[in-house]
Amino acid sequence: MIVVRGGRPLSGRVRISGAKNAVLPAIVASLLTDEPLILKRVPRLLDVETQLALIEALGKRVEREGDVITIRGEAGVATAPREIVSRMRASFLCLGPLLARLGEAHVPLPGGCVIGARPVDLHLAGLARLGADIRVDEGVVHAAGALHGGEVWLRYPSVGATEQLLLAGATIPEEVEIVNPAREPEVMDLVRLLVAMGAEVKALEDRFIVRGGRLGEAEHAVIPDRIEAGTYLLAGTITGGEAELADVHPEHLTALLAKLEECGAEVEVSGDRVRAAAPRGWRGIEVETAPYPGFPTDLQPQLTAFLSLARGRSIIWERVFESRFGHVGELIRMGARITLQGQAIAVEGVEELRGTEVAATDIRAGAALVLAGVAARGVTRIRGVEHLRRGYENMEEKLARLGAKVWVEEASVT
Ligand code: UD1
C-alpha cells in the first residue's frame, strides 16, 4: 500500500509523462504493419507492460530504451490470450487490427477498471457494418471476413469504439466514415499516428473519414498525459499550496483549469507549463463530466477529493460512466461529507480530512485517495497500490518533488 503523511501545503514542479490512453492504442497500431514502429515518450506503467505483452503474444517483438520503444515483426497469431485481455480493457482494441490483417480474430471480452457496465457493443456493431462476421461464444468474440468501406454512426462518442474503427479503417482502401466520433486528445493522437503510417484521415465537424491501405513504418511521440497533469495540479491545490507542471499541452486541460478558476484558484499558463495555486477557502461548484472538451470523467474522483475541502456545497454529475463512485465511501471514511444521489454526488465542504486506512478500487479512485491523503491530518494508508501503478509513472517520486511525504509499505495480511 501507498502511505501518505499529509496536512502541509505542497509546492513544486513536476514533469508530465506520455499519456497512458494515447500510448495503449498506439501500441496496438503496430499490428497494422510489418514495418518498424518507433514510439517515443512511452511511460513506464503496468498497463503499458500489459499491452506490450499482448502484442508479443500476437507475434511482435519489442525493444525498449529509456522512454522509446521499437516494435517490429509480423503479427501471425489471431487469438488474444484471455489472461492478458482480462487485465485491461484497452487490449480489446486488437480485435479490428487482427481481423483486418489476418481475416480472423478471437479476442475475449475485456476486463479493466470496475467503473460501470462498459460494454463493447459499439465496437462490434461498427466492425459488423464494415463487413465483419461477429459471433460471441463463451465470453470470446470471434470475428471473420474481409472488411470494406461504409458509414458507422456511434450513438455515443465512445473513445474505444472510435479507436477500434480508426484502426480497422486504416487498412481498408475504401472510405470509412465514423459519424459522431470521440475527439479526445488521445483519439486525435492515434489519428496523427495512423496518418504518419500512411492512412488518410479527414476530421470533419461531425465525422472522421478514413481511407487506408498498406501502412508503413513510423516514428511517433506520444502526447503528454492530461489526466496525470490534472491529478498533480489538484495535488498541489488540495493542500492549499501549488503545483507547476512542465511538458504539458495546456489546451488539453481547459475544462479543469476553468473549474479551478471558478473555485477561486489561481491559474497561470505559459507555453508548455501550467501552474495552479489555491489558498484555503476555495468555493464549491457544479461539475458535469462529458466527452472532450467537457470535464473528463478520469478527473472526477480527484476533483471530488478537492471539492470535499471547499467552502460550501458542490454537485458533481457523472455522465460518462454510471457507477464511477468507488472513491466516495473511502473519502467519507476520511471525514468527507458526500451523499450519492443516482448519477450525482453532493459534497458539503468540510474543514479537514483525517488520515485512515482506505482502499483503491481503480486507478483514478486511488489517485483521489492519494490527494485526500496529502491534504489530510495524519497518515493515510491506501491499499491497492497496483491500481496506481497501472496509470501513474513514478508517482511517489513526483509527489515527493511537490514536497509530499509518501512511501510504499507491504500491506499486512488481515
Ligand atoms: C476510455 C479511457 C478511459 C476514459 C474513457 C472516457 C482508454 C484506455 N480509456 O475508455 O480512461 O474514462 O475513455 O473518457 O482510453 N460504451 C458503450 N458501448 C461501447 C463502448 C462504450 O455503451 O461499445 C459506453 C461505456 O459504457 C461508457 C461510455 O460509453 O458509459 C464511454 O466509454 P468509452 O468512451 O468507450 O470509454 P473507454 O474507451 O472504455
Side-chain angles (χ1 to χ4, degrees), residues 20-21 24-25 89-90 115 117-123 155-161 163 184 186 226 297-298 320-322 324 364:
K20 168 177 91 70
N21 288 352
L24 297 178
R89 189 174 161 84
I115 53 174
R118 304 187 88 179
V120 287
D121 57 315
L122 294 170
H123 299 234
R155 75 176 137 72
Y156 185 90
S158 152
V159 170
E163 292 170 345
E184 269 62 8
E186 297 76 19
R226 66 195 167 105
T297 174
D298 284 354
V320 179
F321 292 109
E322 73 277 14
R324 189 170 206 171
R364 310 305 171 186

PDB file of all heavy atoms in Angstrom, residues 20-21 24-25 89-90 115 117-123 155-161 163 184 186 226 297-298 320-322 324 364, ligand 1:
ATOM      1  N   LYS A  20      -0.987   7.655 -20.988  1.00  0.00           N
ATOM      2  CA  LYS A  20      -1.360   6.235 -20.984  1.00  0.00           C
ATOM      3  C   LYS A  20      -2.395   5.942 -22.069  1.00  0.00           C
ATOM      4  O   LYS A  20      -2.241   5.006 -22.841  1.00  0.00           O
ATOM      5  CB  LYS A  20      -1.945   5.858 -19.611  1.00  0.00           C
ATOM      6  CG  LYS A  20      -2.620   4.504 -19.597  1.00  0.00           C
ATOM      7  CD  LYS A  20      -3.118   4.128 -18.220  1.00  0.00           C
ATOM      8  CE  LYS A  20      -4.527   4.551 -17.922  1.00  0.00           C
ATOM      9  NZ  LYS A  20      -5.578   3.819 -18.664  1.00  0.00           N
ATOM     10  N   ASN A  21      -3.449   6.747 -22.116  1.00  0.00           N
ATOM     11  CA  ASN A  21      -4.545   6.421 -23.030  1.00  0.00           C
ATOM     12  C   ASN A  21      -4.221   6.725 -24.490  1.00  0.00           C
ATOM     13  O   ASN A  21      -5.011   6.399 -25.371  1.00  0.00           O
ATOM     14  CB  ASN A  21      -5.820   7.139 -22.603  1.00  0.00           C
ATOM     15  CG  ASN A  21      -6.404   6.521 -21.342  1.00  0.00           C
ATOM     16  OD1 ASN A  21      -5.943   5.483 -20.885  1.00  0.00           O
ATOM     17  ND2 ASN A  21      -7.398   7.171 -20.778  1.00  0.00           N
ATOM     18  N   LEU A  24      -1.554   3.332 -25.377  1.00  0.00           N
ATOM     19  CA  LEU A  24      -2.147   1.984 -25.470  1.00  0.00           C
ATOM     20  C   LEU A  24      -2.686   1.698 -26.881  1.00  0.00           C
ATOM     21  O   LEU A  24      -2.361   0.654 -27.454  1.00  0.00           O
ATOM     22  CB  LEU A  24      -3.222   1.782 -24.396  1.00  0.00           C
ATOM     23  CG  LEU A  24      -2.710   1.847 -22.952  1.00  0.00           C
ATOM     24  CD1 LEU A  24      -3.855   1.689 -21.962  1.00  0.00           C
ATOM     25  CD2 LEU A  24      -1.632   0.795 -22.685  1.00  0.00           C
ATOM     26  N   PRO A  25      -3.477   2.594 -27.498  1.00  0.00           N
ATOM     27  CA  PRO A  25      -3.866   2.340 -28.897  1.00  0.00           C
ATOM     28  C   PRO A  25      -2.681   2.415 -29.860  1.00  0.00           C
ATOM     29  O   PRO A  25      -2.675   1.701 -30.873  1.00  0.00           O
ATOM     30  CB  PRO A  25      -4.892   3.427 -29.205  1.00  0.00           C
ATOM     31  CG  PRO A  25      -4.846   4.393 -28.084  1.00  0.00           C
ATOM     32  CD  PRO A  25      -4.199   3.734 -26.920  1.00  0.00           C
ATOM     33  N   ARG A  89      -8.965  -3.237 -20.376  1.00  0.00           N
ATOM     34  CA  ARG A  89      -9.945  -3.050 -21.430  1.00  0.00           C
ATOM     35  C   ARG A  89      -9.328  -2.623 -22.771  1.00  0.00           C
ATOM     36  O   ARG A  89      -9.780  -3.037 -23.836  1.00  0.00           O
ATOM     37  CB  ARG A  89     -10.927  -1.988 -20.942  1.00  0.00           C
ATOM     38  CG  ARG A  89     -12.116  -1.817 -21.791  1.00  0.00           C
ATOM     39  CD  ARG A  89     -13.080  -0.861 -21.130  1.00  0.00           C
ATOM     40  NE  ARG A  89     -14.000  -0.343 -22.116  1.00  0.00           N
ATOM     41  CZ  ARG A  89     -15.107  -0.963 -22.511  1.00  0.00           C
ATOM     42  NH1 ARG A  89     -15.438  -2.103 -21.976  1.00  0.00           N
ATOM     43  NH2 ARG A  89     -15.880  -0.433 -23.424  1.00  0.00           N
ATOM     44  N   ALA A  90      -8.273  -1.797 -22.709  1.00  0.00           N
ATOM     45  CA  ALA A  90      -7.701  -1.265 -23.955  1.00  0.00           C
ATOM     46  C   ALA A  90      -7.103  -2.375 -24.823  1.00  0.00           C
ATOM     47  O   ALA A  90      -6.868  -2.172 -26.014  1.00  0.00           O
ATOM     48  CB  ALA A  90      -6.644  -0.211 -23.644  1.00  0.00           C
ATOM     49  N   ILE A 115     -15.792   0.352 -13.283  1.00  0.00           N
ATOM     50  CA  ILE A 115     -16.451   1.662 -13.192  1.00  0.00           C
ATOM     51  C   ILE A 115     -17.692   1.687 -14.068  1.00  0.00           C
ATOM     52  O   ILE A 115     -17.912   2.618 -14.817  1.00  0.00           O
ATOM     53  CB  ILE A 115     -15.503   2.822 -13.557  1.00  0.00           C
ATOM     54  CG1 ILE A 115     -14.833   2.602 -14.925  1.00  0.00           C
ATOM     55  CG2 ILE A 115     -14.452   3.034 -12.488  1.00  0.00           C
ATOM     56  CD1 ILE A 115     -14.001   3.782 -15.401  1.00  0.00           C
ATOM     57  N   ALA A 117     -20.829  -0.619 -16.512  1.00  0.00           N
ATOM     58  CA  ALA A 117     -21.039  -1.806 -17.349  1.00  0.00           C
ATOM     59  C   ALA A 117     -19.987  -1.920 -18.452  1.00  0.00           C
ATOM     60  O   ALA A 117     -19.489  -2.990 -18.746  1.00  0.00           O
ATOM     61  CB  ALA A 117     -22.433  -1.747 -17.960  1.00  0.00           C
ATOM     62  N   ARG A 118     -19.617  -0.812 -19.058  1.00  0.00           N
ATOM     63  CA  ARG A 118     -18.602  -0.751 -20.109  1.00  0.00           C
ATOM     64  C   ARG A 118     -18.731  -1.857 -21.158  1.00  0.00           C
ATOM     65  O   ARG A 118     -17.826  -2.672 -21.338  1.00  0.00           O
ATOM     66  CB  ARG A 118     -17.200  -0.757 -19.507  1.00  0.00           C
ATOM     67  CG  ARG A 118     -16.990   0.355 -18.528  1.00  0.00           C
ATOM     68  CD  ARG A 118     -15.583   0.451 -18.073  1.00  0.00           C
ATOM     69  NE  ARG A 118     -14.775   1.290 -18.945  1.00  0.00           N
ATOM     70  CZ  ARG A 118     -13.491   1.548 -18.730  1.00  0.00           C
ATOM     71  NH1 ARG A 118     -12.876   1.016 -17.726  1.00  0.00           N
ATOM     72  NH2 ARG A 118     -12.819   2.327 -19.546  1.00  0.00           N
ATOM     73  N   PRO A 119     -19.839  -1.883 -21.877  1.00  0.00           N
ATOM     74  CA  PRO A 119     -19.997  -2.890 -22.922  1.00  0.00           C
ATOM     75  C   PRO A 119     -19.115  -2.558 -24.133  1.00  0.00           C
ATOM     76  O   PRO A 119     -18.522  -1.484 -24.197  1.00  0.00           O
ATOM     77  CB  PRO A 119     -21.473  -2.759 -23.297  1.00  0.00           C
ATOM     78  CG  PRO A 119     -21.852  -1.370 -22.931  1.00  0.00           C
ATOM     79  CD  PRO A 119     -20.972  -0.961 -21.782  1.00  0.00           C
ATOM     80  N   VAL A 120     -19.058  -3.476 -25.096  1.00  0.00           N
ATOM     81  CA  VAL A 120     -18.298  -3.225 -26.335  1.00  0.00           C
ATOM     82  C   VAL A 120     -19.224  -3.319 -27.548  1.00  0.00           C
ATOM     83  O   VAL A 120     -18.772  -3.571 -28.655  1.00  0.00           O
ATOM     84  CB  VAL A 120     -17.096  -4.192 -26.486  1.00  0.00           C
ATOM     85  CG1 VAL A 120     -15.985  -3.828 -25.524  1.00  0.00           C
ATOM     86  CG2 VAL A 120     -17.526  -5.636 -26.303  1.00  0.00           C
ATOM     87  N   ASP A 121     -20.527  -3.113 -27.316  1.00  0.00           N
ATOM     88  CA  ASP A 121     -21.485  -3.250 -28.419  1.00  0.00           C
ATOM     89  C   ASP A 121     -21.180  -2.312 -29.587  1.00  0.00           C
ATOM     90  O   ASP A 121     -21.344  -2.686 -30.756  1.00  0.00           O
ATOM     91  CB  ASP A 121     -22.926  -3.015 -27.910  1.00  0.00           C
ATOM     92  CG  ASP A 121     -23.094  -1.652 -27.251  1.00  0.00           C
ATOM     93  OD1 ASP A 121     -22.215  -1.278 -26.450  1.00  0.00           O
ATOM     94  OD2 ASP A 121     -24.082  -0.966 -27.534  1.00  0.00           O
ATOM     95  N   LEU A 122     -20.703  -1.092 -29.291  1.00  0.00           N
ATOM     96  CA  LEU A 122     -20.417  -0.144 -30.381  1.00  0.00           C
ATOM     97  C   LEU A 122     -19.230  -0.621 -31.217  1.00  0.00           C
ATOM     98  O   LEU A 122     -19.201  -0.448 -32.435  1.00  0.00           O
ATOM     99  CB  LEU A 122     -20.141   1.249 -29.810  1.00  0.00           C
ATOM    100  CG  LEU A 122     -21.328   1.933 -29.115  1.00  0.00           C
ATOM    101  CD1 LEU A 122     -20.878   3.189 -28.381  1.00  0.00           C
ATOM    102  CD2 LEU A 122     -22.411   2.282 -30.136  1.00  0.00           C
ATOM    103  N   HIS A 123     -18.248  -1.231 -30.553  1.00  0.00           N
ATOM    104  CA  HIS A 123     -17.090  -1.788 -31.285  1.00  0.00           C
ATOM    105  C   HIS A 123     -17.587  -2.865 -32.263  1.00  0.00           C
ATOM    106  O   HIS A 123     -17.210  -2.886 -33.433  1.00  0.00           O
ATOM    107  CB  HIS A 123     -16.086  -2.466 -30.348  1.00  0.00           C
ATOM    108  CG  HIS A 123     -15.468  -1.583 -29.314  1.00  0.00           C
ATOM    109  ND1 HIS A 123     -14.098  -1.477 -29.158  1.00  0.00           N
ATOM    110  CD2 HIS A 123     -15.996  -0.781 -28.359  1.00  0.00           C
ATOM    111  CE1 HIS A 123     -13.825  -0.648 -28.159  1.00  0.00           C
ATOM    112  NE2 HIS A 123     -14.961  -0.229 -27.655  1.00  0.00           N
ATOM    113  N   ARG A 155     -23.850   5.900 -31.450  1.00  0.00           N
ATOM    114  CA  ARG A 155     -24.904   6.577 -30.683  1.00  0.00           C
ATOM    115  C   ARG A 155     -24.288   7.398 -29.554  1.00  0.00           C
ATOM    116  O   ARG A 155     -24.897   8.310 -29.013  1.00  0.00           O
ATOM    117  CB  ARG A 155     -25.911   5.558 -30.135  1.00  0.00           C
ATOM    118  CG  ARG A 155     -25.427   4.758 -28.954  1.00  0.00           C
ATOM    119  CD  ARG A 155     -26.467   3.826 -28.378  1.00  0.00           C
ATOM    120  NE  ARG A 155     -25.866   2.549 -28.075  1.00  0.00           N
ATOM    121  CZ  ARG A 155     -25.031   2.328 -27.070  1.00  0.00           C
ATOM    122  NH1 ARG A 155     -24.721   3.303 -26.237  1.00  0.00           N
ATOM    123  NH2 ARG A 155     -24.510   1.136 -26.893  1.00  0.00           N
ATOM    124  N   TYR A 156     -23.058   7.050 -29.165  1.00  0.00           N
ATOM    125  CA  TYR A 156     -22.322   7.789 -28.138  1.00  0.00           C
ATOM    126  C   TYR A 156     -20.888   7.900 -28.647  1.00  0.00           C
ATOM    127  O   TYR A 156     -20.371   6.924 -29.214  1.00  0.00           O
ATOM    128  CB  TYR A 156     -22.367   7.007 -26.809  1.00  0.00           C
ATOM    129  CG  TYR A 156     -21.745   7.759 -25.667  1.00  0.00           C
ATOM    130  CD1 TYR A 156     -22.505   8.614 -24.870  1.00  0.00           C
ATOM    131  CD2 TYR A 156     -20.388   7.629 -25.398  1.00  0.00           C
ATOM    132  CE1 TYR A 156     -21.922   9.328 -23.839  1.00  0.00           C
ATOM    133  CE2 TYR A 156     -19.800   8.349 -24.362  1.00  0.00           C
ATOM    134  CZ  TYR A 156     -20.579   9.195 -23.584  1.00  0.00           C
ATOM    135  OH  TYR A 156     -20.002   9.904 -22.568  1.00  0.00           O
ATOM    136  N   PRO A 157     -20.238   9.058 -28.427  1.00  0.00           N
ATOM    137  CA  PRO A 157     -18.860   9.187 -28.943  1.00  0.00           C
ATOM    138  C   PRO A 157     -17.858   8.417 -28.074  1.00  0.00           C
ATOM    139  O   PRO A 157     -17.051   9.004 -27.349  1.00  0.00           O
ATOM    140  CB  PRO A 157     -18.610  10.691 -28.909  1.00  0.00           C
ATOM    141  CG  PRO A 157     -19.516  11.208 -27.841  1.00  0.00           C
ATOM    142  CD  PRO A 157     -20.729  10.311 -27.826  1.00  0.00           C
ATOM    143  N   SER A 158     -17.933   7.114 -28.136  1.00  0.00           N
ATOM    144  CA  SER A 158     -17.060   6.248 -27.332  1.00  0.00           C
ATOM    145  C   SER A 158     -15.607   6.364 -27.804  1.00  0.00           C
ATOM    146  O   SER A 158     -15.330   6.266 -29.002  1.00  0.00           O
ATOM    147  CB  SER A 158     -17.541   4.796 -27.459  1.00  0.00           C
ATOM    148  OG  SER A 158     -16.470   3.891 -27.284  1.00  0.00           O
ATOM    149  N   VAL A 159     -14.717   6.546 -26.852  1.00  0.00           N
ATOM    150  CA  VAL A 159     -13.283   6.640 -27.158  1.00  0.00           C
ATOM    151  C   VAL A 159     -12.808   5.315 -27.765  1.00  0.00           C
ATOM    152  O   VAL A 159     -12.214   5.273 -28.845  1.00  0.00           O
ATOM    153  CB  VAL A 159     -12.488   6.964 -25.869  1.00  0.00           C
ATOM    154  CG1 VAL A 159     -10.989   6.830 -26.091  1.00  0.00           C
ATOM    155  CG2 VAL A 159     -12.846   8.363 -25.383  1.00  0.00           C
ATOM    156  N   GLY A 160     -13.091   4.223 -27.074  1.00  0.00           N
ATOM    157  CA  GLY A 160     -12.606   2.916 -27.534  1.00  0.00           C
ATOM    158  C   GLY A 160     -13.190   2.529 -28.886  1.00  0.00           C
ATOM    159  O   GLY A 160     -12.471   2.053 -29.769  1.00  0.00           O
ATOM    160  N   ALA A 161     -14.499   2.733 -29.077  1.00  0.00           N
ATOM    161  CA  ALA A 161     -15.123   2.339 -30.343  1.00  0.00           C
ATOM    162  C   ALA A 161     -14.563   3.182 -31.488  1.00  0.00           C
ATOM    163  O   ALA A 161     -14.298   2.672 -32.583  1.00  0.00           O
ATOM    164  CB  ALA A 161     -16.638   2.478 -30.254  1.00  0.00           C
ATOM    165  N   GLU A 163     -11.589   4.485 -31.641  1.00  0.00           N
ATOM    166  CA  GLU A 163     -10.227   3.994 -31.911  1.00  0.00           C
ATOM    167  C   GLU A 163     -10.259   2.659 -32.659  1.00  0.00           C
ATOM    168  O   GLU A 163      -9.492   2.427 -33.594  1.00  0.00           O
ATOM    169  CB  GLU A 163      -9.446   3.877 -30.597  1.00  0.00           C
ATOM    170  CG  GLU A 163      -9.165   5.244 -29.997  1.00  0.00           C
ATOM    171  CD  GLU A 163      -8.600   5.230 -28.586  1.00  0.00           C
ATOM    172  OE1 GLU A 163      -8.668   4.170 -27.913  1.00  0.00           O
ATOM    173  OE2 GLU A 163      -8.117   6.275 -28.130  1.00  0.00           O
ATOM    174  N   GLU A 184     -11.349  13.016 -28.121  1.00  0.00           N
ATOM    175  CA  GLU A 184     -10.396  13.183 -27.032  1.00  0.00           C
ATOM    176  C   GLU A 184      -8.998  13.380 -27.631  1.00  0.00           C
ATOM    177  O   GLU A 184      -8.703  12.832 -28.707  1.00  0.00           O
ATOM    178  CB  GLU A 184     -10.403  11.926 -26.155  1.00  0.00           C
ATOM    179  CG  GLU A 184     -11.367  11.923 -24.978  1.00  0.00           C
ATOM    180  CD  GLU A 184     -12.847  12.033 -25.339  1.00  0.00           C
ATOM    181  OE1 GLU A 184     -13.196  11.968 -26.533  1.00  0.00           O
ATOM    182  OE2 GLU A 184     -13.666  12.196 -24.418  1.00  0.00           O
ATOM    183  N   GLU A 186      -6.383  11.960 -27.013  1.00  0.00           N
ATOM    184  CA  GLU A 186      -5.737  10.654 -27.231  1.00  0.00           C
ATOM    185  C   GLU A 186      -6.220  10.036 -28.543  1.00  0.00           C
ATOM    186  O   GLU A 186      -5.462   9.346 -29.223  1.00  0.00           O
ATOM    187  CB  GLU A 186      -6.045   9.713 -26.055  1.00  0.00           C
ATOM    188  CG  GLU A 186      -5.489  10.188 -24.704  1.00  0.00           C
ATOM    189  CD  GLU A 186      -6.287  11.329 -24.072  1.00  0.00           C
ATOM    190  OE1 GLU A 186      -7.461  11.538 -24.447  1.00  0.00           O
ATOM    191  OE2 GLU A 186      -5.713  12.040 -23.203  1.00  0.00           O
ATOM    192  N   ARG A 226      -2.816  14.272 -19.943  1.00  0.00           N
ATOM    193  CA  ARG A 226      -3.602  15.366 -19.335  1.00  0.00           C
ATOM    194  C   ARG A 226      -4.231  14.930 -18.020  1.00  0.00           C
ATOM    195  O   ARG A 226      -4.534  15.757 -17.163  1.00  0.00           O
ATOM    196  CB  ARG A 226      -4.660  15.883 -20.325  1.00  0.00           C
ATOM    197  CG  ARG A 226      -5.710  14.879 -20.654  1.00  0.00           C
ATOM    198  CD  ARG A 226      -6.534  15.258 -21.879  1.00  0.00           C
ATOM    199  NE  ARG A 226      -7.300  14.097 -22.305  1.00  0.00           N
ATOM    200  CZ  ARG A 226      -8.605  13.941 -22.113  1.00  0.00           C
ATOM    201  NH1 ARG A 226      -9.298  14.873 -21.503  1.00  0.00           N
ATOM    202  NH2 ARG A 226      -9.206  12.840 -22.519  1.00  0.00           N
ATOM    203  N   THR A 297     -14.187  12.485 -17.172  1.00  0.00           N
ATOM    204  CA  THR A 297     -14.569  11.540 -16.110  1.00  0.00           C
ATOM    205  C   THR A 297     -13.333  11.026 -15.365  1.00  0.00           C
ATOM    206  O   THR A 297     -13.407  10.732 -14.177  1.00  0.00           O
ATOM    207  CB  THR A 297     -15.378  10.360 -16.703  1.00  0.00           C
ATOM    208  OG1 THR A 297     -15.605   9.396 -15.669  1.00  0.00           O
ATOM    209  CG2 THR A 297     -14.675   9.677 -17.843  1.00  0.00           C
ATOM    210  N   ASP A 298     -12.198  10.957 -16.054  1.00  0.00           N
ATOM    211  CA  ASP A 298     -10.976  10.444 -15.408  1.00  0.00           C
ATOM    212  C   ASP A 298     -10.392  11.412 -14.376  1.00  0.00           C
ATOM    213  O   ASP A 298      -9.431  11.073 -13.687  1.00  0.00           O
ATOM    214  CB  ASP A 298      -9.906  10.109 -16.456  1.00  0.00           C
ATOM    215  CG  ASP A 298     -10.214   8.809 -17.189  1.00  0.00           C
ATOM    216  OD1 ASP A 298     -11.177   8.124 -16.807  1.00  0.00           O
ATOM    217  OD2 ASP A 298      -9.486   8.482 -18.152  1.00  0.00           O
ATOM    218  N   VAL A 320     -20.602   9.980 -17.839  1.00  0.00           N
ATOM    219  CA  VAL A 320     -19.931   9.083 -18.788  1.00  0.00           C
ATOM    220  C   VAL A 320     -20.056   7.625 -18.337  1.00  0.00           C
ATOM    221  O   VAL A 320     -20.420   6.753 -19.126  1.00  0.00           O
ATOM    222  CB  VAL A 320     -18.455   9.495 -18.992  1.00  0.00           C
ATOM    223  CG1 VAL A 320     -17.760   8.547 -19.962  1.00  0.00           C
ATOM    224  CG2 VAL A 320     -18.369  10.933 -19.493  1.00  0.00           C
ATOM    225  N   PHE A 321     -19.754   7.374 -17.079  1.00  0.00           N
ATOM    226  CA  PHE A 321     -19.889   6.013 -16.527  1.00  0.00           C
ATOM    227  C   PHE A 321     -20.933   6.032 -15.416  1.00  0.00           C
ATOM    228  O   PHE A 321     -20.935   6.943 -14.589  1.00  0.00           O
ATOM    229  CB  PHE A 321     -18.553   5.511 -15.975  1.00  0.00           C
ATOM    230  CG  PHE A 321     -17.532   5.282 -17.048  1.00  0.00           C
ATOM    231  CD1 PHE A 321     -16.439   6.114 -17.183  1.00  0.00           C
ATOM    232  CD2 PHE A 321     -17.682   4.235 -17.950  1.00  0.00           C
ATOM    233  CE1 PHE A 321     -15.507   5.908 -18.195  1.00  0.00           C
ATOM    234  CE2 PHE A 321     -16.760   4.015 -18.954  1.00  0.00           C
ATOM    235  CZ  PHE A 321     -15.677   4.857 -19.084  1.00  0.00           C
ATOM    236  N   GLU A 322     -21.775   5.007 -15.388  1.00  0.00           N
ATOM    237  CA  GLU A 322     -22.920   5.078 -14.482  1.00  0.00           C
ATOM    238  C   GLU A 322     -22.585   4.791 -13.016  1.00  0.00           C
ATOM    239  O   GLU A 322     -23.332   5.169 -12.136  1.00  0.00           O
ATOM    240  CB  GLU A 322     -24.067   4.185 -14.973  1.00  0.00           C
ATOM    241  CG  GLU A 322     -23.859   2.695 -14.821  1.00  0.00           C
ATOM    242  CD  GLU A 322     -23.043   2.090 -15.952  1.00  0.00           C
ATOM    243  OE1 GLU A 322     -22.416   2.839 -16.726  1.00  0.00           O
ATOM    244  OE2 GLU A 322     -23.014   0.867 -16.051  1.00  0.00           O
ATOM    245  N   ARG A 324     -19.260   5.301 -11.313  1.00  0.00           N
ATOM    246  CA  ARG A 324     -17.869   5.613 -11.024  1.00  0.00           C
ATOM    247  C   ARG A 324     -17.757   6.343  -9.696  1.00  0.00           C
ATOM    248  O   ARG A 324     -17.359   7.507  -9.637  1.00  0.00           O
ATOM    249  CB  ARG A 324     -17.309   6.478 -12.149  1.00  0.00           C
ATOM    250  CG  ARG A 324     -15.832   6.652 -12.008  1.00  0.00           C
ATOM    251  CD  ARG A 324     -15.207   7.273 -13.192  1.00  0.00           C
ATOM    252  NE  ARG A 324     -13.825   6.845 -13.214  1.00  0.00           N
ATOM    253  CZ  ARG A 324     -13.011   7.055 -14.202  1.00  0.00           C
ATOM    254  NH1 ARG A 324     -13.409   7.658 -15.281  1.00  0.00           N
ATOM    255  NH2 ARG A 324     -11.769   6.626 -14.126  1.00  0.00           N
ATOM    256  N   ARG A 364      -8.170   5.873 -10.901  1.00  0.00           N
ATOM    257  CA  ARG A 364      -8.452   7.274 -10.544  1.00  0.00           C
ATOM    258  C   ARG A 364      -9.059   7.393  -9.152  1.00  0.00           C
ATOM    259  O   ARG A 364      -8.865   8.420  -8.489  1.00  0.00           O
ATOM    260  CB  ARG A 364      -9.354   7.920 -11.588  1.00  0.00           C
ATOM    261  CG  ARG A 364      -8.889   7.731 -13.022  1.00  0.00           C
ATOM    262  CD  ARG A 364      -7.467   8.185 -13.302  1.00  0.00           C
ATOM    263  NE  ARG A 364      -7.030   7.769 -14.635  1.00  0.00           N
ATOM    264  CZ  ARG A 364      -5.804   7.926 -15.125  1.00  0.00           C
ATOM    265  NH1 ARG A 364      -4.844   8.471 -14.381  1.00  0.00           N
ATOM    266  NH2 ARG A 364      -5.501   7.520 -16.337  1.00  0.00           N
TER     267      ARG A 364
HETATM  268  C1  UD1 B   1     -11.540   5.493 -22.425  1.00  0.00           C
HETATM  269  C2  UD1 B   1     -10.391   5.681 -21.478  1.00  0.00           C
HETATM  270  C3  UD1 B   1     -10.903   5.885 -20.055  1.00  0.00           C
HETATM  271  C4  UD1 B   1     -11.905   7.027 -20.020  1.00  0.00           C
HETATM  272  C5  UD1 B   1     -12.986   6.852 -21.067  1.00  0.00           C
HETATM  273  C6  UD1 B   1     -13.921   8.041 -21.191  1.00  0.00           C
HETATM  274  C7  UD1 B   1      -8.633   4.395 -22.506  1.00  0.00           C
HETATM  275  C8  UD1 B   1      -7.743   3.220 -22.443  1.00  0.00           C
HETATM  276  N1  UD1 B   1      -9.525   4.513 -21.527  1.00  0.00           N
HETATM  277  O1  UD1 B   1     -12.232   4.305 -22.014  1.00  0.00           O
HETATM  278  O2  UD1 B   1      -9.784   6.172 -19.220  1.00  0.00           O
HETATM  279  O3  UD1 B   1     -12.503   7.082 -18.753  1.00  0.00           O
HETATM  280  O4  UD1 B   1     -12.397   6.635 -22.363  1.00  0.00           O
HETATM  281  O5  UD1 B   1     -13.217   9.182 -21.480  1.00  0.00           O
HETATM  282  O6  UD1 B   1      -8.522   5.240 -23.369  1.00  0.00           O
HETATM  283  N2  UD1 B   1     -19.917   2.399 -24.222  1.00  0.00           N
HETATM  284  C9  UD1 B   1     -20.946   1.635 -24.711  1.00  0.00           C
HETATM  285  N3  UD1 B   1     -20.676   0.726 -25.720  1.00  0.00           N
HETATM  286  C10 UD1 B   1     -19.422   0.586 -26.234  1.00  0.00           C
HETATM  287  C11 UD1 B   1     -18.373   1.381 -25.722  1.00  0.00           C
HETATM  288  C12 UD1 B   1     -18.665   2.278 -24.710  1.00  0.00           C
HETATM  289  O7  UD1 B   1     -22.092   1.726 -24.284  1.00  0.00           O
HETATM  290  O8  UD1 B   1     -19.226  -0.240 -27.144  1.00  0.00           O
HETATM  291  C13 UD1 B   1     -20.204   3.340 -23.113  1.00  0.00           C
HETATM  292  C14 UD1 B   1     -19.455   2.982 -21.840  1.00  0.00           C
HETATM  293  O9  UD1 B   1     -20.153   2.032 -21.092  1.00  0.00           O
HETATM  294  C15 UD1 B   1     -19.363   4.324 -21.140  1.00  0.00           C
HETATM  295  C16 UD1 B   1     -19.243   5.305 -22.301  1.00  0.00           C
HETATM  296  O10 UD1 B   1     -19.689   4.611 -23.455  1.00  0.00           O
HETATM  297  O11 UD1 B   1     -20.540   4.591 -20.432  1.00  0.00           O
HETATM  298  C17 UD1 B   1     -17.825   5.807 -22.519  1.00  0.00           C
HETATM  299  O12 UD1 B   1     -16.958   4.734 -22.801  1.00  0.00           O
HETATM  300  P1  UD1 B   1     -15.724   4.879 -23.774  1.00  0.00           P
HETATM  301  O13 UD1 B   1     -15.638   6.281 -24.272  1.00  0.00           O
HETATM  302  O14 UD1 B   1     -15.773   3.786 -24.765  1.00  0.00           O
HETATM  303  O15 UD1 B   1     -14.525   4.616 -22.792  1.00  0.00           O
HETATM  304  P2  UD1 B   1     -13.302   3.613 -22.949  1.00  0.00           P
HETATM  305  O16 UD1 B   1     -12.805   3.663 -24.355  1.00  0.00           O
HETATM  306  O17 UD1 B   1     -13.612   2.336 -22.325  1.00  0.00           O
END
